[in-house]
Amino acid sequence: MNDRYSRQILFSPIGKQGQKSIGEKHVLVVGVGALGSSISEMLTRAGVGKLTLIDRDYVETSNLQRQQLFSESDAKEKLPKVIAAKKRLADINREVKIEAIVGEADVQTLENFAPKIDLMIDGTDNFDIRFILNDIAHKFTVPFLFGSCVGSFGSTYTIIPNHTPCLQCLLKNIPMQGQTCDTVGIIAPTVQMVTAYQVAEALKILSGNMDAIRKTYITFDLWENQHLSVKSNDAIKNKACTTCGEERTYPFLSYEAQTKTALLCGRNTVQIRPSQTFSPSIGQLCSRWELAGYIVKQNPYLVSVHKDDVRMIMFKDGRALIHGTNDPVKAKKIYYSFIG
């Protein structure tokens, strides 16, 4: 054991054995934006054995305010986030193996990785992927750390399959906010607070300190000085849950549950059809868009929303048309920026 981790080893709950254990573990970070870049840096400095990073996006100037791994040159070159992250993380600690995957965290990709990893951490920005991660975690018995942040509000929750309620169970008791960074913004301290909780939990799991795992869902608002901790117990866990209950079907891993895209020929438009498990409230979305200053027009059949040079048409069944692009990845990014 070298001197690099001496201060972490001096922390008695970790010690030499815990540090050895951390150095043997493989962690999957899904999403390398604000949460994922901070998580990846802390775990790299902590000496995790291997990090696999998955992200479909590239670095933009607007990321630099809160996504700490990236630089102006990364944004100028429009480097994929995982490539820019891998380069920076290698400069921090070359002992850590970094695997960078530019692409979608789809079901097939995640199922291929699940048997090889010791921990999965949420750095995403949408619940489509989070519910897939939740199912993957329980199908393959992999611990999963949920995290979310927007504005000055953040939340985090530790999921240990077969021991804690899953994300589905949690959200039926504690509904999430529907805001997005594109509608209400975000301040960097919110990100750091969420990732501090996530990485602390990660270090407990990776070092073998399972008894120290937090047994609460935490939410906070840094600006309003509010903090809430809700016990996650058997009262929340649903025996009939299709993800963690007695008869599991892992519904979000099915083809029908996945968001689908299709190009509309000759129209520079991508159609997005949400999963059957998602039914957006158009009324609530319109109110949120109007508060954010977007141009919103409605008729009995659909709603049109304009933001800068982007236009989305949403129908009553949740189907959306993203105008101005033929790129399904870019269209999904736009869609999630509107939907949350």
Side-chain angles (χ1 to χ4, degrees), residues 58-257:
Y58 60 87
V59 182
E60 300 178 271
T61 305
S62 62
N63 301 150
L64 303 180
Q65 164 254 355
R66 66 198 179 283
Q67 298 183 19
Q68 63 191 51
L69 284 181
F70 309 130
S71 66
E72 289 183 354
S73 62
D74 295 330
K76 185 177 180 179
E77 295 176 37
K78 297 191 183 316
L79 282 181
K81 288 184 178 179
V82 292
I83 301 302
K86 181 177 181 178
K87 179 181 176 183
R88 173 65 178 140
L89 295 173
D91 287 340
I92 292 171
N93 189 349
R94 296 190 181 276
E95 294 179 358
V96 177
K97 296 176 182 177
I98 309 292
E99 181 178 14
I101 298 173
V102 182
E104 192 92 24
D106 56 24
V107 172
Q108 182 178 353
T109 299
L110 293 170
E111 286 193 326
N112 287 340
F113 272 103
K116 312 170 192 174
I117 60 176
D118 300 288
L119 174 64
M120 194 162 49
I121 307 184
D122 172 23
T124 67
D125 60 1
N126 71 84
F127 275 91
D128 266 2
I129 298 177
R130 285 173 177 142
F131 283 126
I132 291 173
L133 292 174
N134 188 50
D135 272 6
I136 291 286
H138 288 82
K139 182 177 180 179
F140 293 91
T141 320
V142 178
F144 168 41
L145 302 179
F146 161 77
S148 176
C149 57
V150 63
S152 56
F153 173 88
S155 57
T156 179
Y157 178 58
T158 301
I159 297 169
I160 308 296
N162 302 320
H163 294 279
T164 64
C166 77
L167 193 60
Q168 273 209 85
C169 293
L170 179 74
L171 296 189
K172 287 179 179 177
N173 291 271
I174 309 171
M176 297 290 106
Q177 293 192 2
Q179 299 169 320
T180 73
C181 294
D182 279 13
T183 57
V184 301
I186 186 167
I187 56 174
T190 308
V191 176
Q192 299 306 316
M193 179 70 81
V194 173
T195 57
Y197 279 116
Q198 285 181 296
V199 176
E201 292 294 285
L203 291 176
K204 295 173 189 178
I205 293 168
L206 299 175
S207 64
N209 285 279
M210 301 302 290
D211 291 343
I213 294 297
R214 189 183 65 247
K215 297 176 179 62
T216 58
Y217 164 77
I218 287 180
T219 181
F220 59 83
D221 188 323
L222 290 177
W223 203 263
E224 298 297 332
N225 306 307
Q226 296 172 349
H227 188 280
L228 177 67
S229 181
V230 180
K231 285 185 178 180
S232 168
N233 52 31
D234 289 340
I236 291 178
K237 192 173 177 65
N238 177 13
K239 291 183 179 179
C241 176
T242 51
T243 294
C244 70
E246 295 175 353
E247 297 184 10
R248 305 177 184 186
T249 60
Y250 309 114
F252 294 92
L253 304 185
S254 69
Y255 176 78
E256 292 75 18

Side-chain angles (χ1 to χ4, degrees), residues 317-329:
D317 62 0
R319 181 171 52 89
L321 301 179
I322 309 298
H323 292 283
T325 181
N326 281 324
D327 182 350
V329 173

